Amino acid sequence: MNDAASLTVPHVETQPIPASILEEIETFEVEAMRTLAGDVSTDLFKPFRLQYGIYGQRQPGVQMVRVKIPFGGITANQLRRVAELADCYATGVGHVTTRQDIQMHFVELKDVPTIMRGLAEVGLTTREACANTVRNVTACHLAGVCQGEVFDVTPYAKTVAYHLLRNPLNQSLPRKFKIAFSGCAHDCALTPIHDIGLLAVKRADGVIGFRMVAGGGLGSTPRIAQLLREFTPMEELIPSIEAVIKVFDTLGNRKNRNKARMKFVIDKLGFEEFKRRWEAAYVSMGHTLPNNGSIALLPYQDAPPALIMPTRNGTANGNGNGNGTYPIGHETPFEMWKRTNVVRQRQDGYVTAAIKLFMGDITSQQLLFVADLAERYSNGNLRTTINQNLVIRWIPADQIPHLYEDLASRGLADPGAELVEDIIACPGTDTCGLGITSSKGLARALAEVFPAGRVPEELAGVDIKISGCHNSCAQHHISTIGLHGVGKRIGEHVAPHYELHLGGSVNGTAKIGQMIVKLPAKAVPAALSHLIDVYRRDRQGNESLPKFIARAGKAKLKDELIPYTIVPSYEEDSTFYYDWEGEDEFILEDLGPGECAGGALEMIENGILEADQELYQAKLLVEKHQYSVSVNKSYRAVLAAAKALLVTEGLEPSTDSETFTEFDGRIAQKGVVPSIYRDLNKKVGDLGPKETSPESAREKMAFAKGFVEACRVATDQMGKDLKLSTVKEEQIPSVPMPTETKPAIPIATGAPVYDLRGVSCPMNYVKTKLKLEMMDAGDKLEVWLDAGEPIKNVPMSLKNDGHKVLIQEELEPEASHYRILVEKVEG
């Protein structure tokens, strides 16, 4: 055993608990004991408990204790105390969260006050780590040592965090409130997804301050924060934050928890009105008065150790020049770790080393060991990261080989920290009462697809985040590959699924990923493997995966992944109905069979998905020259889409003929779909399994595809009230929808082509509008239109929507068809 491994655990240094905090803990203890005695109901106790950072788990009778770690900064002494408490009162495991907190699980309520006292003795608290308060203030874990930072945001993050802790201003907000600080343009702290995001900037005159954005958030309705102040002087930092909180406290929705975040206040008011209210609050709170004073920063001791340190075996050869690049040739385990986990600091001679924690978990014994290493190799300070890891900073570069040796001795030297293989996952159904799926179980399954330290260079900059529900605790909306858990009823059973979001990012600018498809949990690894294969097959030059996703677009990626959405019946393969690492069949008690609007919406969505799956198979069959079977699949696609829309009428017809008859009378005749889709019984009656020509098979597949698309348009425009809108159209000729033909002339624009020849107004405009909605601002789309009303009306309508029409010209010499090139402009 090496020297560090044999170190004895130093005594934890404590300090007297301030009287006010001791009284606070005693108050909690009294109420906890009353609850355990049955004198106070658990429902009444719940909001009080949450205010103190104590969460109920999905398992009855135990709690999750969340320790608030402002900016992720924690000392070795504090880490030892957390380890002791986790060992004595929890499971012996600490969990680092995406907000840089540390959680302990399976704590009995009676032990919580003891934990609170133990934390308070070392300057830690659980207060306001949960509930409708200002949550933990986060910051980049490299703040102060980052080579590209404008200045060290640490003292500002710390000062704001402790200013707001126990502050009467935020003790009973409408909903939780999140703040983040970043020190450079890379924006490691992800400021655009926060209620308040603060990015370090320096004016031309050398004065430093913050660029302040407001109104970001993820969850079921993600929003990107908007610019509130281009430059916030330091003396106005806390007043500016307080004024935002005041507006939120005054105007936030306290009746509907699902509409209570500040982003919904901005949605309702509009950002300019929100900004006006903020300015008024700033004045009314007295922040414009003279002599308001400059900001008084709290101290943060982070002095580096001496560069000349004793070593056990002489001077090390390693220089710690890891920078997250990817391997060339063969590497030793140490070289791989150093390349992926070690970063040069802006201070010469020092490096920062990341300790990769699998999904944020670390045992109490490992915590004690890491605390020892932080004091041996550095100054005793550590940081947690928003990617659920720990880092030790200020390590003399020549000590890196020794540090690696010590980490490896305790299973803490896994490579790939903060890279694509460092998969982020929330606790999911392991402990969370809101979890739907086992996000950790899926992450472990994906470890085989993305092996640590061995992911190729082409995936540099890619990240994977998995949330067990739509609340986005793992921040899946802003990752290259994001997944969130849902349940899907299939007959008498429910299968765990994940909605796949692609193309999200925060790197200077923020972008919410697009939801592409819903995948059964057991198919996710194979689906992501195929996605990477498609990227390698179709990328252009050295195109990155994020750029490929943006260029390929939702429709292409969905078509590629449709085969992985197919779920066998329970009798064919019951494993699809068990979650990853689940021993019992998957259940979702609150997933009803479709009586409510939510269930009906899911039935409709599933019907359209089934139609897409049938069309996918029809296409494959045509390519394999199995034309008769392909026609049958086209028929099944029409049937599935028709049934989906009939859900809005509360109908589940038992025969195909009844389905088409009811669809015609209740849907088509009302003008919900174009008139060419009336009398389906006649038009699809010949789509049965019989001999047919290649041309006929393709024609019928095109008809089916047009019908499914029309049904999709109808459902996309439908609200939660299940009301379908009518299509106000000129009479469309009763001919099949246009096939996806190849361009008749060479296309020089390089943009994807959307062929709408044969589609009349206004459906051509609606289709173009929907297509643009799936694209990103700045993307271009080439649209082919008929002469007459289409080329006259569609470009004008798109311009009225704010988009740019860059080209409008004849497609063919006879001028019977035109093309336009549209550039999407964000509305």
Side-chain angles (χ1 to χ4, degrees), residues 304-309 316 318-320 345 348-352 376-379 393-401 403:
L307 277 177
I308 301 175
M309 292 182 63
N319 61 12
Q345 296 185 184
D348 288 341
Y350 293 98
V351 297
T352 293
R376 178 180 180 84
Y377 291 102
S378 183
N379 57 11
R393 299 136 52 98
W394 293 107
I395 303 168
D398 64 358
Q399 294 298 303
I400 281 297
L403 174 64

Side-chain angles (χ1 to χ4, degrees), residues 609-628:
L609 175 60
E610 181 184 345
D612 284 334
Q613 292 170 341
E614 297 288 1
L615 282 171
Y616 170 80
Q617 293 184 65
K619 179 183 175 183
L620 289 182
L621 290 164
V622 164
E623 292 171 354
K624 294 178 180 178
H625 311 294
Q626 299 181 31
Y627 304 116
S628 298

